[in-house]
Amino acid sequence: MLGLIVFCKYEYSPSTPITHNLNFSTMKQLLLISLFISPLLPPLVKADILDHWSVEAESPETSVTILSDSIIDIVSPKGMTLWYNERMEGNIIIEYDARIVVEDNNMESWNRLSDLNCFWMASDTHRECQSPLDGIHERQGIFVRQYALSLYYMGLGGNHNTTTRFRRYTGDERGISNTDYRPAILIEYTDSAHLLKKNHWYHIRLEQINGCVQYIIDGEVIAEYQDPTPLTCGYFGFRTTLSHAQIRRFTYTCK
């Protein structure tokens, strides 16, 4: 597309109100610029996307931003959880795409292939409201402090992409300091087919339906657990550590 860009020079003096210089000629020039540039800009990203999420991060250098195509971009120098702010209840289906980004010739410590993890049906039974969001400032993204929550957890490509593990957390706070009280590994993979591929967009589907809990990735059920005391309400959290992760197309349904 061809067009004419009109530049206008505008000088501002602190002693002169801006509105004094906005004469009719200047306003026409600004309008011409706006009409030309607007079609060239990418589609507007929903300004409120991150309003639906809360960041719990161990490092103050953690970055969570929105890219122009509505991808949530996460750079996490240490542990972090990105919590979805809405409480889910009943039979739950959660779906989203996610990947770990690994760049060539990037020497940052977080530029590695590991930890595309998640929590779902998470609650803090030690609080009256049972919301894990209220404990963000206490846990501070530190992984062992998450043991105080009740939830389902999948660690995809954890431990430097050597393990994929499913657990059910019971909310036993003693697990924070005592390994004897930490949740058991219910399902584990160590083969390459169930570990991470760099820069690959995975489609992930999480379910809790009448006590049948499933983790489905790219159409494959890699974890299925019949919970005798199912978690029927709670929150979703995207979890990672020391990585560059991205998430998009997050949806969920409750019945």
Side-chain angles (χ1 to χ4, degrees):
M1 182 180 74
L2 298 177
L4 174 66
I5 299 181
V6 179
F7 292 96
C8 64
K9 182 179 179 182
Y10 174 69
E11 296 180 357
Y12 167 61
S13 169
S15 61
T16 305
I18 292 178
T19 53
H20 286 184
N21 290 332
L22 287 179
N23 55 37
F24 182 70
S25 175
T26 301
M27 291 177 67
K28 286 197 300 181
Q29 290 175 334
L30 291 173
L31 178 60
L32 283 172
I33 292 173
S34 175
L35 291 174
F36 178 85
I37 292 178
S38 293
L40 303 182
L41 296 175
L44 289 176
V45 177
K46 288 184 179 179
D48 63 348
I49 287 179
L50 287 183
D51 290 343
H52 294 286
W53 299 87
S54 295
V55 177
E56 178 187 338
E58 190 173 355
S59 169
E61 297 179 358
T62 299
S63 169
V64 179
T65 57
I66 301 295
L67 303 184
S68 60
D69 44 4
S70 299
I71 293 171
I72 301 177
D73 186 75
I74 302 165
V75 174
S76 181
K78 292 186 178 180
M80 71 87 65
T81 306
L82 184 65
W83 292 103
Y84 193 69
N85 291 338
E86 295 181 13
R87 182 176 180 267
M88 307 174 191
E89 185 171 0
N91 289 330
I92 307 297
I93 297 175
I94 301 168
E95 295 189 74
Y96 60 96
D97 297 336
R99 68 175 177 174
I100 296 294
V101 178
V102 180
E103 301 172 339
D104 295 335
N105 303 317
N106 185 334
M107 304 306 293
E108 295 286 352
S109 60
W110 45 258
N111 187 53
R112 63 170 194 145
L113 185 62
S114 190
D115 290 282
L116 193 70
N117 311 330
C118 65
F119 301 140
W120 71 107
M121 311 309 289
S123 63
D124 187 346
T125 57
H126 308 286
R127 298 177 184 275
E128 184 177 354
C129 67
Q130 298 197 3
S131 171
L133 305 182
D134 283 11
I136 284 176
H137 296 296
E138 296 173 11
R139 295 188 306 273
Q140 298 180 329
I142 298 170
F143 184 70
V144 295
R145 295 182 183 174
Q146 316 299 317
Y147 290 130
L149 303 176
S150 298
L151 52 82
Y152 302 117
Y153 170 68
M154 175 61 82
L156 182 67
N159 300 302
H160 297 274
N161 201 30
T162 60
T163 63
T164 289
R165 294 171 172 172
F166 172 78
R167 292 182 172 95
R168 184 200 188 282
Y169 284 25
T170 62
D172 193 333
E173 290 182 307
R174 294 175 295 180
I176 295 174
S177 57
N178 189 332
T179 58
D180 292 338
Y181 295 97
R182 292 180 182 174
I185 298 170
L186 301 177
I187 298 169
E188 181 176 27
Y189 298 94
T190 57
D191 60 299
S192 60
H194 294 96
L195 299 176
L196 290 169
K197 295 180 285 186
K198 69 177 183 178
N199 303 322
H200 173 74
W201 278 110
Y202 292 96
H203 182 70
I204 296 169
R205 178 182 171 108
L206 314 173
E207 295 185 2
Q208 189 295 119
I209 300 177
N210 298 324
C212 181
V213 181
Q214 290 189 328
Y215 181 96
I216 306 165
I217 183 166
D218 286 349
E220 179 187 0
V221 180
I222 67 170
E224 182 170 337
Y225 172 65
Q226 190 66 47
D227 192 346
T229 54
L231 304 175
T232 57
C233 61
Y235 292 77
F236 168 83
F238 179 80
R239 175 77 193 182
T240 192
T241 183
L242 204 62
S243 74
H244 179 188
Q246 294 180 337
I247 181 173
R248 66 183 183 186
R249 300 174 182 169
F250 178 86
T251 63
Y252 76 93
T253 58
C254 303
K255 295 181 180 179

